[in-house]
Amino acid sequence: MDERAGLTPTLPRSNPTSSYWQDPFHQISNHRTTRELPKTVSTIIIGSGITGASIAYNVLGKPDTSSVLMLEARTSCSGATGRNGGHTKAASYRAFLDNVQDQGEEEAAKIARFEYKNIKAVHAFIREHRIDCDSWEGDTVDIIYDNSQWNRAEKSISAMKRILGEDDPAAQYTFHSASETVEKFLTEGAMGSVSYEAGSINAYKFIIGVLELALTRGLNLQTETPALKISRSSGGKSRWTIETPRGSVGAERVIMATNGYTAFLYPPVKGIIVPLRGTVAAQRPGTSMPKEGLRTTYSFIYGNGYEYMIFRPLGSASAGDLVIGGCSTKAPKEGLYEWGTTDDTAMDPDIGQYVRDSAAGYFGSHWGEDDPDGRIRKQWTGIMGYSSQGFPLVGMAPGEENLWMAASFQGSGMVLCFLTAKALVTMMDGEDDEEMNDWFPRAFRMSEGRLKHKFHGRLHEKAPMDLELKASSETQLETDKQTIRS
């Protein structure tokens, strides 16, 4: 892992795999507000995904805002946001015990509440601005196949209810037995399941909607214009110079909303923020699946990994389709070579095959035959960003005045980025006070100390094995594998 984590990211590649969400591309996908780049601006935002778009919207909402330029290496929202699984799902219990151990009870509770509030804020913003993006709110379910994961879930949710309070909305979970799981959720062979509040959206259409709002506020969006280098300016009002293939631009402040690609522009985070390639597929449901569609979104959790899955809601294009992703541990060496790569033009064949087969395997006899038009509509990859401590890095780069970043969202951008953007803009405006400390986690803040924590592997995926559970868990894992294959 050290070798993979130490690789230098490239720029986003040309001709990436074709994302289901970006077919067809939106009319602003190749937008350039002005024919030429400006010579100087007040603010440059690098990246047009959920983080960059949300930052732009918030910056341009300030009464004293001057010029804001957004640079996008490819087309609008062509990175992870436009290539994800569309899940607004926190699964906060999965990391909660680790967060208590590492950050303390108060901070762990703050992180869980932040994730929940972020989901609610995303869907509320969509309603307020009437963004057409297939927004759906309801329940999700985690189908758990592994004994150690089941025990971990019970302990974690009990701790959440004790620390957050029984009535806290971020601590509301319902357990279901194995038989209830078959009856309610049509999946066999599980230890049981856990359901809780979540949602789904077409994230590409959502962020295109946010970008359109920002454009009406004065955003200068320049697509197909990669930032090649950030350097200090030699003089004048601009502190920073950004080099692009179309010329250089000076700026008073620069914001990197570049997630897994950040180390390309800011080398101090090489080995701190590490890219991971994810794989997603859009599928037609089997002939025996409910004709009215599924009622929940899903995750399927086993000993060393998981998959997540949403359904396209009624009224959306291709309603009833299933979008499933994850499976990164299914490649040789548990997906080691998916780490460190920024190549979303390709797909690991083992992971690709597993993603294509997994939903039918989980639903078993409830799947039926494949749709006559075929199971797979589209399959693609995207690049995420992970940090050694399992948290985003948000704030000003240490010792670099007005060079800001919000990156490394651990594959959970839909439940972290939207309010993180609000927090970063608050920091930049010098309004970072106790009120913000009440809701924005301290663990997410950028610091010099965080640059010393090298990445050694993904956190919160494997449940620590209690000694008395190890033997039974190993036996159960082999059973899980046989169940999934059948």
Side-chain angles (χ1 to χ4, degrees):
M1 179 59 80
D2 288 349
E3 180 182 348
R4 300 300 301 175
L7 295 174
T8 300
T10 67
L11 281 169
R13 309 263 183 126
S14 301
N15 302 311
T17 52
S18 177
S19 168
Y20 174 77
W21 306 111
Q22 298 175 47
D23 184 9
F25 286 109
H26 192 272
Q27 63 184 9
I28 68 163
S29 63
N30 295 105
H31 183 86
R32 288 181 176 176
T33 304
T34 57
R35 184 174 179 179
E36 304 294 335
L37 293 178
K39 296 298 183 183
T40 61
V41 293
S42 172
T43 302
I44 291 178
I45 300 168
I46 305 171
S48 67
I50 184 171
T51 307
S54 301
I55 291 170
Y57 178 83
N58 280 279
V59 168
L60 289 161
K62 301 291 183 177
D64 57 346
T65 298
S66 51
S67 51
V68 178
L69 172 68
M70 177 176 286
L71 301 177
E72 168 54 53
R74 301 190 297 205
T75 59
S76 298
C77 195
S78 58
T81 304
R83 317 181 72 78
N84 66 21
H87 225 168
T88 50
K89 171 174 178 169
S92 302
Y93 76 94
R94 301 260 292 143
F96 189 76
L97 292 178
D98 289 336
N99 291 343
V100 168
Q101 180 177 336
D102 297 340
Q103 304 293 327
E105 291 187 355
E106 182 179 353
E107 187 72 3
K110 188 185 296 183
I111 293 168
R113 291 186 176 116
F114 178 83
E115 292 173 336
Y116 178 83
K117 289 174 182 176
N118 195 98
I119 292 171
K120 303 302 285 185
V122 165
H123 288 280
F125 187 90
I126 291 167
R127 287 192 301 273
E128 180 185 354
H129 296 280
R130 299 182 180 180
I131 298 175
D132 179 14
C133 60
D134 307 330
S135 175
W136 176 88
E137 295 176 87
D139 281 347
T140 190
V141 63
D142 292 352
I143 311 295
I144 301 177
Y145 295 92
D146 178 76
N147 194 43
S148 61
Q149 296 278 14
W150 179 258
N151 280 276
R152 179 80 166 176
E154 289 184 319
K155 292 177 183 177
S156 184
I157 290 169
S158 176
M160 288 186 74
K161 290 183 177 295
R162 175 180 61 81
I163 295 168
L164 278 73
E166 290 281 346
D167 297 327
D168 193 296
Q172 300 308 302
Y173 297 88
T174 301
F175 283 92
H176 306 275
S177 67
S179 60
E180 288 175 324
T181 298
V182 175
E183 180 182 353
K184 290 176 180 285
F185 307 116
L186 311 180
T187 51
E188 300 176 355
M191 301 288 299
S193 55
V194 182
S195 62
Y196 48 101
E197 188 176 357
S200 67
I201 57 174
N202 180 328
Y204 176 68
K205 291 176 70 176
F206 168 48
I207 292 310
I208 289 295
V210 177
L211 287 172
E212 288 182 311
L213 290 170
L215 287 167
T216 66
R217 289 183 165 189
L219 175 67
N220 184 338
L221 170 60
Q222 297 288 334
T223 62
E224 304 287 357
T225 308
L228 303 176
K229 184 179 179 181
I230 302 173
S231 58
R232 290 179 181 272
S233 296
S234 56
K237 189 175 181 181
S238 298
R239 292 188 174 96
W240 298 99
T241 298
I242 308 297
E243 296 178 21
T244 85
R246 299 170 57 207
S248 298
V249 185
E252 295 176 43
R253 62 184 180 186
V254 174
I255 305 158
M256 295 176 286
T258 42
N259 206 25
Y261 297 94
T262 303
F264 174 83
L265 290 170
Y266 184 63
V269 296
K270 187 172 79 168
I272 310 299
I273 299 176
V274 178
L276 172 65
R277 182 170 61 190
T279 304
V280 190
Q283 308 184 3
R284 300 175 180 90
T287 56
S288 295
M289 295 290 279
K291 301 303 180 187
E292 68 279 10
L294 295 171
R295 294 177 294 174
T296 66
T297 64
Y298 285 72
S299 290
F300 307 97
I301 298 171
Y302 41 90
N304 69 335
Y306 63 92
E307 283 81 63
Y308 56 85
M309 187 185 80
I310 70 164
F311 63 92
R312 300 297 306 282
L314 293 175
S316 63
S318 303
D321 274 7
L322 307 177
V323 180
I324 185 166
C327 321
S328 61
T329 61
K330 296 304 178 181
K333 297 188 177 181
E334 292 196 338
L336 174 65
Y337 295 102
E338 299 301 282
W339 292 99
T341 184
T342 48
D343 184 4
D344 56 3
T345 69
M347 183 182 305
D348 178 89
D350 294 306
I351 295 176
Q353 187 63 52
Y354 190 88
V355 172
R356 290 191 291 273
D357 294 342
S358 57
Y362 286 125
F363 288 103
S365 61
H366 296 100
W367 182 264
E369 301 295 325
D370 281 344
D371 188 282
D373 291 331
R375 180 185 298 177
I376 303 301
R377 284 192 185 272
K378 200 176 282 285
Q379 193 167 13
W380 65 98
T381 56
I383 306 303
M384 301 170 282
Y386 285 78
S387 69
S388 59
Q389 296 170 302
F391 303 122
L393 282 82
V394 183
M396 190 161 63
E400 305 285 7
E401 187 177 1
N402 269 350
L403 179 62
W404 301 84
M405 73 171 65
S408 190
F409 289 99
Q410 322 299 310
S412 297
M414 293 300 99
V415 297
L416 294 173
C417 294
F418 190 70
L419 290 183
T420 291
K422 177 182 177 182
L424 183 72
V425 173
T426 301
M427 293 179 195
M428 293 191 302
D429 287 348
E431 299 172 0
D432 187 358
D433 55 19
E434 286 304 314
E435 182 180 351
M436 196 177 96
N437 287 334
D438 287 341
W439 62 268
F440 187 69
R442 180 188 67 249
F444 293 7
R445 292 173 178 270
M446 183 59 162
S447 68
E448 190 169 352
R450 294 195 67 187
L451 296 180
K452 299 176 182 178
H453 288 271
K454 294 292 184 180
F455 185 87
H456 298 293
R458 188 174 184 170
L459 301 179
H460 317 311
E461 187 161 89
K462 299 180 182 181
M465 289 192 180
D466 299 328
L467 290 177
E468 66 270 23
L469 295 176
K470 184 177 181 182
S472 62
S473 294
E474 290 174 342
T475 301
Q476 181 65 43
L477 181 56
E478 289 305 311
T479 303
D480 296 343
K481 290 177 179 177
Q482 293 297 325
T483 300
I484 293 169
R485 290 192 192 107
S486 61

